[in-house]
Amino acid sequence: MNYKISIIPKTLHFKQPAGTSRGVYTTRKSWFIELTSAAIPGRKGIGECAPLPDLSCDYSADYAERLRALCDAFERNGKIDYTEMREYPSMLFGLETALAHFNAGTTALFDTPFSRGEEGIPINGLVWMGSYEEMLVRMEEKIKCGFHCVKLKVGAIDFDSELDLVKRIRSRFSASEIELRLDANGGFKPEEALYKLELLSQYSVHSIEQPIKPHLWSYMAQLCRESPLPIALDEELIGITDPSMMGYMLNVIRPAYIVIKPSLHGGMYGTEKWMSAARDNNVGTWITSALESNVGLNAIAQLAAKAYGPGITMPQGLGTGQLFTDNIDMPVEIRGDKLYYIK
């Protein structure tokens, strides 16, 4: 089948600044792929390419030109060249999404209980970095909304204040009431990390993502061996595109979990490869969005529902659909602590 692709850039605006240990986001630029074919007039597929400038391995000053070149190659060949495109995860994910949307003829990309509106996917509530007071208020808001799993960004403000916040949460809510996940985004220094993890472990924390910066495999492997807290890898996965290297890295570091973000970690193709490597190495997984619009969020939710099958119990990181003032309408909705696809 012959395809035509249009690329539409769009800048999204956050309702409130989104703070991480790497900095603060106020806007978010995405490139939307619109795929059509004369063979099926009136049908189109939409996908989102949403790189993070300071994080994505495929972001560059000529991102738009590279995306256009890869889309031109797809138009010529009529299929995705995974060998080439796995080096460009955000672009691959956008093209995979557009093709899946086109083939399905609906935003229900795969046939699952989630896409049929029969099941919701459990998600965690996300608390962005801010002052102690801001984070406490945000945490309380998530709990009032009915979340039973809350993810707290740490590593940017004073650690004693963050520790006190975790302590206050646990003084009010037991581990059976609230599952508490932490995400340091590489914010701890290697020489301080174990001590901080030991302090945090007093408060029944489920796991902590990326306590130190990526590419420090020996330090991270030692942390995973000695930490009283289960460690999840996130940024560590970026740029690893060869399936054999995925398994090698997991075997060396031996984390408890990996957190897979299709836009950062190889698209839908890479997500499947990471999940396979994780199973082979007895590593747990969950799937998370990476500040995409609702177009990308829906695709990631559809992928998670397909990958894990019916009855998902592990909360996924899919609570980002309410971040933007000018998001794109999609039939996804949060009810309590689950994300639903609205038929």
Side-chain angles (χ1 to χ4, degrees), residues 132-173:
Y132 174 87
E133 292 76 16
E134 289 170 336
M135 295 175 74
L136 182 60
V137 169
R138 292 169 189 169
M139 175 64 73
E140 291 175 341
E141 287 174 350
K142 294 300 180 184
I143 293 170
K144 287 179 181 177
C145 287
F147 285 96
H148 295 91
C149 176
V150 179
K151 177 177 168 179
L152 182 68
K153 294 276 188 177
V154 298
I157 65 173
D158 175 70
F159 178 74
D160 288 339
S161 296
E162 292 173 339
L163 186 65
D164 185 58
L165 179 60
V166 172
K167 180 179 179 180
R168 288 189 62 172
I169 293 165
R170 272 292 165 255
S171 69
R172 294 177 55 190
F173 301 96

Side-chain angles (χ1 to χ4, degrees), residues 22 98 142 156 168 266 274 288 333 338:
R22 293 185 302 271
K142 294 300 180 184
R168 288 189 62 172
W274 275 115
T288 298
E333 177 181 281
K338 290 186 178 182

Side-chain angles (χ1 to χ4, degrees), residues 182 197 201 205-209 211 224 227-232 255-257 286:
L182 304 179
L197 298 184
S201 70
V205 173
H206 171 271
S207 58
I208 184 165
E209 293 179 36
C224 288
S227 172
L229 282 182
I231 290 176
Y257 303 99
W286 67 85

Side-chain angles (χ1 to χ4, degrees), residues 227-287:
S227 172
L229 282 182
I231 290 176
L233 303 184
D234 178 355
E235 288 89 341
E236 202 73 65
L237 280 56
I238 295 172
I240 299 177
T241 61
D242 182 84
S244 63
M245 183 57 70
M246 295 174 183
Y248 177 74
M249 186 271 281
L250 295 180
N251 185 53
V252 169
I253 297 180
R254 311 300 302 177
Y257 303 99
I258 58 172
V259 184
I260 307 171
K261 298 176 178 176
S263 288
L264 293 174
H265 303 146
M268 297 184 184
Y269 169 88
T271 296
E272 293 174 355
K273 297 301 182 184
W274 275 115
M275 292 184 73
S276 177
R279 285 193 295 269
D280 290 344
N281 287 276
N282 297 313
V283 174
T285 66
W286 67 85
I287 294 176

Side-chain angles (χ1 to χ4, degrees), residues 29-33 47-51 63 67 90-92 94-95:
K29 188 169 184 179
S30 291
W31 286 260
F32 291 88
I33 290 175
E48 180 179 8
C49 305
Y63 184 91
L67 176 60
S90 66
M91 302 181 199
L92 174 57
L95 186 54

